[in-house]
Amino acid sequence: MNWADLNLMPALPEMFLLGALLVILMLDLFISDAKRGITYGLSLVTLAVAAFLQVSTFETFSTITLSGLFVDDPMADIVKVAMYGVTATVLVYTRQYVKDRGLFKGEYYTLALFALLGMNLMVSAGNFISLYMGLELLSLSLCSLIALQRDSVKATEAAMKYFVLSALASGLLLYGMSMVYGATGTLDLPTVAKAVAGGSANTTLMVFGLVFIVAGLAFKLGAVPFHMWVPDVYQGSPTALTLMIGAAPKLAAFVFVIRILVQGLGAMVADWQGMLIIIAVLSMAIGNITAIAQTNIKRMLAYSTISHMGFLLLGLIAGTPEGYASALFYAVVYVLTTLVGFGILLGLSRAGFECETLDDLKGLNGRNSWYALLMLLALFSMAGIPPLAGFYAKFAVIQAIVNINLVWLAVVAVIMSLIGAFYYLRAVKVMYFDEVQDNSPITMPVDMKLILSVNGVALLVLGVVPERLVAMCVEAMQLSLHSL
Amino acid sequence: MFSNPLSLVIWTPIVAGLLVLATGGDQRATLARWLALAGALAGFLVSLPLFTQFNNLHGGMQFVENLPWIESLGIRYHLGVDGISMLFIVLNSFTTLMVVLAGWEVIQKRAGHYMAAFLIMSGLINGAFAALDAILFYVFFEGMLIPMYLIIGIWGGPRRVYASVKFFLYTLLGSLLMLVAFIYLYFQAGKTFEIEAFQALAKIPRDVQLLLFVAFFLSFAVKVPMWPVHTWLPDAHVEAPTGGSMVLAAITLKIGAYGFLRFALPIVPDAALEVAPLMVGLSLVAVVYIGLVALVQTDMKKLVAYSSISHMGFVTLGMFLFTGSQMNVWALEGALVQMVSHGFISAGMFFCIGVMYDRVHSRNIADYGGVANKMPIFAAFMMLFAMSNSGLPATSGFVGEFMVIMGAVQVNFWVAALAATTLIFGAAYTLWMYKRVIFGDVGNDHVEHMQDVNKREFLVLAILALAVLGMGLYPQLFVEKMHLSVNDLIAHVAQSKL
């Protein structure tokens, strides 16, 4: 290794994150339960500083460092900044919830930061090994987080399922990667890309490897037919953890897919396009249709997530920079919307009571019309009704696939989103048209109330003026994909 | 942007609606009502310059505003009106004012939210009529579903949930396919969503045209609604509160018909010509069969709802009467007059039923009888609306139907003959209902205790009555505005794109 070429600047935010994380980990040992707020505060400060470092080291070109293990490009920067923000928001939303359930511990925060570090690594990996390490760091942290509520049977079961199935998925992924290694003799993504494009790789072996990799990725995204774990884990985990699984990791998983399929195996687009079409259509169909039958709202949102992953894949299927940008936009909007939806559920839960069935939302408009309105915005955004942000997300991915003349796929997609509209409408109906059942007051910490309001209103504001965010996604994708 | 009259008519009611929403719950209901009235009045006033400053001698779009909006996706904030859409914007702003007055003290539950929903919807509807960018149109077109869904669902009758969900999903089904059509056209027209660029496309193969027409048809026919996709309308009307019914009948149905004129006919003229016989057939079914269905209704609101479908059948009939590849100018202008006139009449009819419902809490014809004895002023007004609904000369209802029948005679005698039966059926169901409800001896105790209209109700009835009479006596005022735009449209549609 040539030490003079070792440029650690691009990885500065990650290094800071790791350092701060270790400090918090040690410090927390000396903090009494009553002062646990310090750990919480330090975690938020860490996130803020990391985000600041990320923004201040922003470059409009890609930098590859650590012998190709680490890539820093605009796409990674944008997604990482989003993930810091999302993680901070999750920590704020869940504080009261974890306090009420005795989970307000140092481990909760350090593990959340470890998960974030894993995601950062996934987002910035330039090599199959670093991709895999990031993924495992994320999965294992989340798994322990779910199991943190030790005496809850449901949570333990969810953690077990998550662990076993993510291990299986990792196995598939590794198997696929090893085949790619066999065919190309390298784990470095740009070199793999060159080998595939140059035709020096064994095609049969590559296609087999691709099948396993796509299966592994579909597992991680929670796309049909590898979706079985999603509803169970969403429902079984404490709502705070459901949000943690459902928010930032989706962004990371998206970039993970881009790194492997587009930057590594971009030359095999014709091969993975067909597979993704099947996965996307099945995800949209099964996700939306099964969601109709759910009465548990966490489970319903899990199926809704599956269908959203199908929509997100549409952008990748297009195989064009605009398509990837639309998928990135979709992921960002999806995460923003999910934060609002689960934020409301967290706010409605209190010590000894979990808000998780549709009936728990009954007459919410009569109890508190502001929270009902925020939830309404989130639901209509998920349904893709204008003028909410979710509409432009769906619009952009559909535009991308019509651009490559897959009009039939666009028609399938809109029909599926029509089916999806039904269960979102039902949730709105429960909040607005039904009578109040449980009239206990809703108490929400002021900071959470404020951020949740901003978060909810953002869905509408982004619906009226989405240009900035769309343009940012398009630019980030063009800059990142152009340079490879 | 805020100096353009079109932006003003869109954003004034929306901002007013948000302000009303901000007044909070029922504690400040009075403030919310007055604020809503001020907002609706302001919305109406800013729409008037569109009518008075409209240049009748200028073809094409007026009051144009064209700003970049979402450039990355190729969407622009492009507004403009021609003689057709301008009329509906004014009509809509007018109806919103009526609706706010109509719901004044009738709505006790969350009055502020009710008023806010109507104001926001009014702005969105204006946007749909003013949009010259297809996606901008779509955003307004779909966005108005949200307030309407809530209006029916929260303030509606007993089966409101069923009706509201049905309304929402039916309309969404159609419009989603239209969205795909827009995106397809975007690439054909050289990466632009300008509606005028879609219309200017020189060549579209026949098969593609037919598919595009199907997408437009599903979207707009549901909204009109045409037989056989009309079944959501009676449900929605019956369950909606009075104001909801007024807006639905007076305005939202017109957006469907407007869509045919703005999108289906000029963008895919050859497909429209090819399926015109089918469209004429469906329209005649609506006119004749739905007219008969209206005859047997026992619920007044349902009866007027079916009557709306039947009258809208006339509108679609007028739009699809072709001689060769030439649209019939009489029929087309008749259809437009009918649309405006139906806006006034149906608002009046639904308001009348609302007035009676507030007193007796029943919409059943059988629960009434002899209302004229107790409410003479009201009976006189309702008489006017009923007569106009049956197409009595000198009221606005006559003009449109007469013009469409005139046009139909030029095209095909039998079509005209069938269409003309509406004059019989329309009179039969409307006047028969009127007779059973208003005339005769006082039917029961409830009717015995009915009070005649109060000042607020009188005001709404009087304004609507003036509009109906004014349009019947001097339709020229409206026709001269639309004349040039209609001719442009006909000339455009006559050019084949094959």
Side-chain angles (χ1 to χ4, degrees), chain A residues 386 399 403 425 433 464 467, chain B residues 69-72 149 160 186:
Chain A
Q399 195 178 23
N403 194 13
L425 278 185
F433 307 165
V464 179
E467 169 61 16
Chain B
W69 182 32
I70 316 177
E71 281 173 312
S72 316
Y149 174 70
R160 59 186 197 271
Y186 167 81

Side-chain angles (χ1 to χ4, degrees), chain A residues 3-83:
Chain A
W3 290 98
D5 285 350
L6 190 60
N7 178 6
L8 286 175
M9 273 311 277
L12 187 64
E14 280 76 16
M15 290 189 300
F16 167 76
L17 193 58
L18 180 60
L21 183 49
L22 294 176
V23 171
I24 295 174
L25 191 61
M26 294 307 291
L27 207 60
D28 185 66
L29 295 176
F30 303 99
I31 292 177
S32 68
D33 269 350
K35 291 182 183 159
R36 201 64 70 196
I38 297 175
T39 314
Y40 166 75
L42 280 176
S43 309
L44 288 184
V45 171
T46 305
L47 289 169
V49 175
F52 171 76
L53 290 174
Q54 196 76 53
V55 174
S56 55
T57 58
F58 178 78
E59 305 277 9
T60 54
F61 50 83
S62 303
T63 320
I64 300 176
T65 184
L66 294 171
S67 316
L69 286 175
F70 194 91
V71 182
D72 184 38
D73 54 15
M75 171 175 73
D77 288 331
I78 220 174
V79 169
K80 280 185 210 165
V81 172
M83 289 193 310

Side-chain angles (χ1 to χ4, degrees), chain A residues 365 380 385-386 391-392 395 398-399 402-403 414 417-418 421-422 425 428-429 432-433 464 466-467 470-471, chain B residues 69-73 110 135 138-139 142-143 146 149 153-154 160-161 164 168-169 172-173 176 183 186-187 193:
Chain A
N365 187 37
F380 275 125
I385 307 291
F391 166 70
Y392 302 96
F395 174 82
I398 291 173
Q399 195 178 23
V402 173
N403 194 13
V414 295
S417 77
L418 175 74
F422 175 73
L425 278 185
V428 174
K429 171 232 150 199
Y432 276 84
F433 307 165
V464 179
E467 169 61 16
V470 182
Chain B
W69 182 32
I70 316 177
E71 281 173 312
S72 316
L73 301 175
R110 301 198 194 102
I135 300 304
Y138 187 84
V139 166
E142 286 266 289
I146 300 177
Y149 174 70
I154 298 178
R160 59 186 197 271
V161 173
S164 59
F168 197 105
L169 291 181
L172 190 62
L173 163 73
L176 281 170
I183 296 176
Y186 167 81
F187 291 107
F193 280 112

